[in-house]
Amino acid sequence: MSTTDTTQEIQTVERTHVVVLGAGYAGAMAANRLRQNPDVDVTVVNPQPFFVQRIRLHQFVARTGEPQTGFDDVLGDGIDVVVDTATRIDAEARRVHLASGKHLDYDYLIYAIGSRHQLPDIPGASDHALSASDWTAAQRLRERLDALDAGAPVVVVGGGLTGVEIAGELAGRGFAVTLAGGGAVAPSVGERGYRATLRQLGRLGVDVLEDARVTAVEASRVTIETDGRERTLPSPATVFATGFTAPELAADSGLTTDGVGRLRTDVTLMSVDDDRIVGAGDATVAAGTSLRMSCQAAEPLGAQAADAVLARIAGDAPKPVDQAFVAQCTSIGRHAATLQFTRRDDSPARAVVTGRVAALAKEVVCRGTVWNIRREAAHPGAFSWLRGPEVTAEREPVLQ
Ligand SMILES: Cc1cc2nc3c(=O)[nH]c(=O)nc-3n(C[C@H](O)[C@H](O)[C@H](O)COP(=O)(O)OP(=O)(O)OC[C@H]3O[C@@H](n4cnc5c(N)ncnc54)[C@H](O)[C@@H]3O)c2cc1C
């Protein structure tokens, strides 16, 4: 609460404190957008003292790109940053407890803590699986890769778009990469995109074993099953890209989550348990939506989470989530990519661009994601996104 003394009257302005957990694509976008209302105080909590551009983590581990951007570059003036980790949300008290032992009280909470690697239930995985899925995991992987000889064998597990990106990047760096697809490679793109992806991986020397399933991991080798037979491959660094899961914070705080730990919200991104908690990004699943975990979805979700909070503060009804996908753009090394345009529901459309032009497009996309946040910092409310398809209660959420 603050008091403003004007010549004519004494005016009392209610201030609202919004705490944003996580300063990734969703959280940073939300924090900046909240500044449309000058009577809102925004505090962002994030474990790293900088913004991590997660979509460049495969470049970080291969030393071909830089994922860090200073908060002074992407967050608007007046936003408080607390470098810490939320450990528990006390919804009743409207309080967040932090790893440092401190706590923050809030009027509204935006839950945007992202996702991380989903560890598969495979013998040895908990000890030896590496990943590029989040900042901490990527640092560990980079250290391991740096210690290997040039041309060392590396097995990448998981044929989804993240696995393809990691395999391509590491092959471009000179490792002898095998991609164990687990049954499919790039399954979300159309036939032309799929063929182009395999061709581009082949040019980089990636050995694609589309059907290979990893059955055991050890420190310097993996066992795979392919064509009904088991084989052992040398792999002093085995990189898993077998899907994302959400952190336990929501579940540990007694909030309702889905099977992979995402905070369940209604169609306006409000937690189904508490009307002061609003979700955004990978860590959240809104009723009736089927949004792939992606920065493509996270930024519009962050903007809509902020809009929902601002509407509630203004006494208005928040709008249902309304956003669409445009494309799936997968880098394959530094000189090629597959740009698969999609329908609004993320299913592949006919148009596909490949090779160098697609690689350029991917670089524009990567820069664009940070540019969007920076622009929102300079002009709160400026970010816009593609709308639709209509939200219906029957649609099931999907993951990348
Ligand atoms: C190698 C790789 C390539 C990818 N490529 C693409 C791509 O091309 N296109 C695409 O759309 N998506 C891509 N993705 C997925 C994309 O990065 C994520 O979907 C996106 O980052 C989700 O955004 P977010 O804001 O929800 O979460 P994040 O960007 O993960 O941000 C969450 C933030 O919350 C912080 N945090 C975590 N726990 C806590 C806590 N307890 N308290 C406070 N803060 C916390 C994290 O440190 C992080 O800073 C890729 C992912 C990887 C790993």
Side-chain angles (χ1 to χ4, degrees):
M1 184 101 77
S2 75
T3 306
T4 313
D5 190 359
T6 68
T7 46
Q8 298 298 314
E9 57 185 341
I10 298 210
Q11 221 180 21
T12 302
V13 181
E14 277 291 337
R15 297 201 64 80
T16 305
H17 186 210
V18 183
V19 171
V20 180
L21 297 185
Y25 300 98
M29 176 61 76
N32 286 333
R33 198 165 180 97
L34 287 166
R35 290 169 62 250
Q36 286 176 95
N37 182 338
D39 300 326
V40 170
D41 295 319
V42 184
T43 304
V44 169
V45 181
N46 197 69
Q48 302 81 31
F50 42 78
F51 174 81
V52 174
Q53 202 181 354
R54 244 176 101 191
I55 64 172
R56 287 201 195 270
L57 284 182
H58 58 306
Q59 291 184 250
F60 172 74
V61 301
R63 292 192 176 274
T64 59
E66 179 49 68
Q68 292 182 30
T69 303
F71 280 139
D72 53 349
D73 187 22
V74 289
L75 292 180
D77 292 343
I79 295 175
D80 273 342
V81 177
V82 173
V83 178
D84 214 323
T85 302
T87 52
R88 193 168 61 83
I89 300 163
D90 183 343
E92 210 175 299
R94 291 189 200 150
R95 176 168 286 187
V96 184
H97 294 271
L98 306 175
S100 62
K102 296 181 182 153
H103 66 258
L104 287 168
D105 292 329
Y106 61 82
D107 296 305
Y108 289 91
L109 183 76
I110 294 186
Y111 185 84
I113 63 170
S115 60
R116 60 188 180 206
H117 174 52
Q118 187 170 34
L119 197 64
D121 188 16
I122 294 173
S126 56
D127 290 328
H128 304 297
L130 295 160
S131 105
S133 71
D134 59 55
W135 178 242
T136 309
Q139 286 176 94
R140 199 170 145 234
L141 172 57
R142 183 153 96 157
E143 266 174 37
R144 177 72 65 85
L145 292 170
D146 282 352
L148 300 183
D149 293 334
V154 172
V155 174
V156 176
V157 187
L161 301 185
T162 309
V164 168
E165 289 204 320
I166 295 169
E169 206 69 34
L170 295 184
R173 158 98 191 267
F175 292 108
V177 178
T178 300
L179 178 60
V185 168
S188 57
V189 304
E191 182 58 28
R192 279 183 56 217
Y194 166 74
R195 277 189 271 111
T197 300
L198 289 188
R199 202 168 48 243
Q200 296 176 113
L201 284 170
R203 279 193 194 126
L204 284 169
V206 177
D207 187 10
V208 179
L209 304 177
E210 190 153 9
D211 293 329
R213 290 178 192 282
V214 170
T215 55
V217 197
E218 292 165 69
S220 55
R221 59 183 192 168
V222 292
T223 307
I224 59 166
E225 194 185 279
T226 178
D227 295 331
R229 287 197 339 241
E230 285 214 324
R231 273 171 65 190
T232 300
L233 300 176
S235 181
T238 303
V239 189
F240 277 73
T242 43
F244 296 144
T245 184
E248 295 90 4
L249 178 61
D252 286 352
S253 304
L255 300 166
T256 304
T257 55
D258 72 353
V260 291
R262 293 181 295 183
L263 177 77
R264 278 202 182 274
T265 75
D266 69 4
V267 290
T268 71
L269 295 173
M270 192 176 76
S271 156
V272 296
D273 306 296
D274 190 281
D275 64 2
R276 295 298 181 116
I277 300 177
V278 174
D282 283 6
T284 297
V285 58
T289 63
S290 54
L291 297 170
R292 171 170 51 98
M293 283 187 182
S294 59
C295 71
Q296 196 176 158
E299 289 193 345
L301 283 168
Q304 291 171 99
D307 289 350
V309 170
L310 293 175
R312 300 279 308 287
I313 294 170
D316 298 331
K319 294 185 182 139
V321 172
D322 185 7
Q323 68 183 74
F325 285 97
V326 181
Q328 297 169 12
C329 197
T330 314
S331 64
I332 304 167
R334 285 300 86 208
H335 307 296
T338 301
L339 171 56
Q340 169 70 68
F341 288 94
T342 62
R343 302 189 189 91
R344 288 171 187 240
D345 67 359
D346 206 31
S347 61
R350 276 180 61 80
V352 179
V353 180
T354 61
R356 274 184 187 271
V357 177
L360 271 175
K362 175 75 187 196
E363 184 55 31
V364 170
V365 167
C366 288
R367 290 180 191 206
T369 57
V370 180
W371 186 84
N372 287 339
I373 297 171
R374 212 178 264 142
R375 181 153 178 266
E376 191 66 20
H379 306 286
F383 179 61
S384 60
W385 60 93
L386 189 68
R387 311 282 174 159
E390 195 185 329
V391 172
T392 61
E394 295 83 47
R395 303 225 333 259
E396 267 301 304
V398 293
L399 305 175
Q400 185 169 15

Coordinates of all heavy atoms in Angstrom, one line a residue, residues 15 37 67 80 95 100 103 110 118 141 151 167 173 176-177 220 222 254 284 316 320 322 343 346 363 368 380:
R15 N -1.2 -1.4 -3.8 CA -0.2 -2.0 -4.6 C -0.3 -3.5 -4.5 O -0.7 -4.1 -3.5 CB 1.2 -1.6 -4.2 CG 1.5 -0.1 -4.3 CD 2.9 0.2 -4.4 NE 3.6 -0.3 -5.5 CZ 3.6 0.2 -6.8 NH1 2.8 1.3 -7.0 NH2 4.2 -0.3 -7.8
N37 N 0.8 -2.5 -15.6 CA 0.1 -1.8 -14.4 C 1.2 -1.3 -13.5 O 1.9 -2.0 -12.8 CB -0.8 -2.9 -13.7 CG -1.5 -2.3 -12.6 OD1 -1.2 -1.2 -12.0 ND2 -2.6 -2.9 -12.2
P67 N 24.2 -19.6 -24.3 CA 22.8 -19.5 -23.9 C 22.5 -18.4 -22.9 O 21.3 -18.2 -22.5 CB 22.5 -20.9 -23.3 CG 23.8 -21.3 -22.8 CD 24.9 -20.6 -23.6
D80 N 12.3 -6.8 -9.4 CA 13.2 -7.4 -8.4 C 13.6 -8.8 -8.8 O 12.7 -9.6 -9.1 CB 12.6 -7.4 -7.0 CG 12.8 -6.1 -6.3 OD1 13.6 -5.3 -6.8 OD2 12.0 -5.8 -5.4
R95 N 2.5 -17.6 0.5 CA 3.9 -17.4 0.8 C 4.7 -18.5 0.0 O 4.3 -19.6 0.0 CB 4.1 -17.6 2.3 CG 5.5 -17.6 2.8 CD 5.5 -17.5 4.3 NE 5.2 -16.2 4.7 CZ 5.3 -15.7 6.0 NH1 5.7 -16.6 6.9 NH2 5.0 -14.5 6.3
S100 N 17.2 -20.7 0.4 CA 18.0 -20.0 1.3 C 17.5 -19.9 2.7 O 18.2 -19.4 3.6 CB 18.2 -18.5 0.8 OG 16.9 -17.9 0.7
H103 N 11.7 -16.3 2.8 CA 10.4 -16.5 2.1 C 9.9 -15.2 1.5 O 10.4 -14.1 1.8 CB 9.4 -17.1 3.1 CG 9.0 -16.1 4.2 ND1 9.5 -16.2 5.4 CD2 8.2 -15.0 4.1 CE1 9.0 -15.2 6.2 NE2 8.2 -14.4 5.4
I110 N 2.9 -16.4 -10.1 CA 3.0 -17.0 -11.5 C 4.0 -18.2 -11.4 O 5.2 -18.0 -11.1 CB 3.3 -16.0 -12.6 CG1 2.2 -15.0 -12.7 CG2 3.5 -16.7 -13.9 CD1 2.3 -14.0 -13.8
Q118 N 13.4 -36.1 -18.3 CA 12.6 -37.2 -17.7 C 13.5 -38.5 -17.7 O 13.8 -39.0 -18.8 CB 11.4 -37.5 -18.5 CG 10.5 -38.5 -17.9 CD 9.1 -38.5 -18.6 OE1 9.0 -38.3 -19.8 NE2 8.1 -38.8 -17.9
L141 N 27.1 -32.2 -18.7 CA 27.4 -32.9 -20.0 C 28.6 -32.2 -20.7 O 29.5 -32.9 -21.2 CB 26.1 -32.8 -20.8 CG 26.3 -33.2 -22.3 CD1 26.8 -34.7 -22.4 CD2 24.9 -33.1 -23.0
G151 N 36.6 -37.1 -31.8 CA 36.1 -38.3 -32.5 C 35.6 -39.4 -31.6 O 35.3 -40.5 -32.1
A167 N 22.2 -34.6 -31.4 CA 23.0 -35.5 -32.3 C 23.7 -34.7 -33.3 O 24.9 -34.9 -33.6 CB 22.1 -36.6 -32.9
R173 N 30.5 -31.1 -34.1 CA 31.7 -30.8 -33.3 C 32.8 -31.9 -33.5 O 33.9 -31.8 -33.0 CB 31.2 -30.7 -31.8 CG 32.2 -31.0 -30.7 CD 32.8 -29.7 -30.2 NE 33.9 -29.9 -29.3 CZ 33.9 -30.1 -28.0 NH1 32.7 -30.0 -27.4 NH2 35.0 -30.4 -27.3
A176 N 31.8 -39.0 -32.8 CA 31.2 -40.1 -33.6 C 29.8 -40.5 -33.0 O 29.8 -41.3 -32.1 CB 32.1 -41.3 -33.6
V177 N 28.8 -39.9 -33.5 CA 27.5 -40.0 -32.9 C 26.6 -41.1 -33.4 O 26.4 -41.2 -34.6 CB 26.7 -38.6 -33.0 CG1 25.4 -38.7 -32.3 CG2 27.5 -37.5 -32.4
S220 N 30.9 -46.2 -19.7 CA 31.5 -46.0 -21.0 C 30.9 -46.8 -22.1 O 31.5 -47.0 -23.1 CB 33.0 -46.2 -20.9 OG 33.3 -47.5 -20.4
V222 N 26.8 -48.5 -23.8 CA 25.4 -48.7 -23.6 C 25.0 -50.0 -24.3 O 25.7 -50.4 -25.3 CB 24.5 -47.6 -24.2 CG1 24.6 -46.3 -23.5 CG2 24.8 -47.4 -25.7
G254 N 1.3 -29.6 -2.5 CA -0.1 -30.0 -2.4 C -1.0 -29.5 -3.5 O -2.2 -29.6 -3.3
T284 N 3.2 -26.2 -16.7 CA 1.7 -26.0 -16.5 C 1.0 -26.8 -17.6 O 1.4 -26.8 -18.7 CB 1.4 -24.5 -16.6 OG1 2.1 -23.8 -15.6 CG2 -0.1 -24.2 -16.5
D316 N -11.7 -7.8 -13.6 CA -12.2 -8.3 -14.9 C -12.0 -9.9 -14.9 O -11.2 -10.4 -14.2 CB -11.5 -7.8 -16.1 CG -11.7 -6.3 -16.2 OD1 -12.8 -5.8 -15.7 OD2 -10.8 -5.6 -16.7
P320 N -9.9 -17.1 -21.7 CA -9.3 -18.5 -21.9 C -8.0 -18.4 -22.7 O -7.9 -17.6 -23.6 CB -10.4 -19.3 -22.6 CG -11.6 -18.4 -22.5 CD -11.2 -17.0 -22.3
D322 N -5.5 -18.9 -25.6 CA -5.8 -18.9 -27.0 C -4.5 -18.7 -27.8 O -4.0 -17.6 -27.9 CB -6.8 -17.7 -27.3 CG -7.2 -17.7 -28.7 OD1 -6.9 -18.6 -29.5 OD2 -7.9 -16.7 -29.2
R343 N 0.1 -26.9 -38.9 CA -1.2 -26.3 -38.7 C -1.2 -25.8 -37.2 O -0.3 -26.0 -36.5 CB -2.3 -27.4 -38.8 CG -2.2 -28.0 -40.2 CD -3.4 -28.9 -40.5 NE -3.2 -29.6 -41.7 CZ -2.6 -30.8 -41.8 NH1 -2.3 -31.5 -40.7 NH2 -2.5 -31.4 -43.0
D346 N -0.3 -27.9 -34.3 CA 1.0 -28.5 -34.3 C 1.2 -29.7 -35.2 O 2.3 -30.3 -35.3 CB 1.5 -28.8 -32.9 CG 3.0 -28.8 -32.7 OD1 3.6 -28.0 -33.4 OD2 3.5 -29.5 -31.9
E363 N 18.2 -19.8 -36.8 CA 19.0 -18.8 -36.0 C 18.1 -17.5 -35.8 O 18.1 -17.0 -34.7 CB 20.2 -18.4 -36.8 CG 21.2 -17.4 -36.1 CD 21.6 -17.9 -34.7 OE1 21.7 -19.1 -34.4 OE2 21.8 -16.9 -33.9
G368 N 14.9 -14.4 -32.1 CA 13.6 -13.8 -32.0 C 13.0 -14.1 -30.6 O 12.3 -13.2 -30.1
P380 N 5.9 -2.9 -22.4 CA 5.0 -3.9 -21.9 C 3.6 -3.9 -22.6 O 3.0 -2.9 -22.8 CB 4.8 -3.4 -20.4 CG 6.0 -2.6 -20.1 CD 6.3 -1.9 -21.4

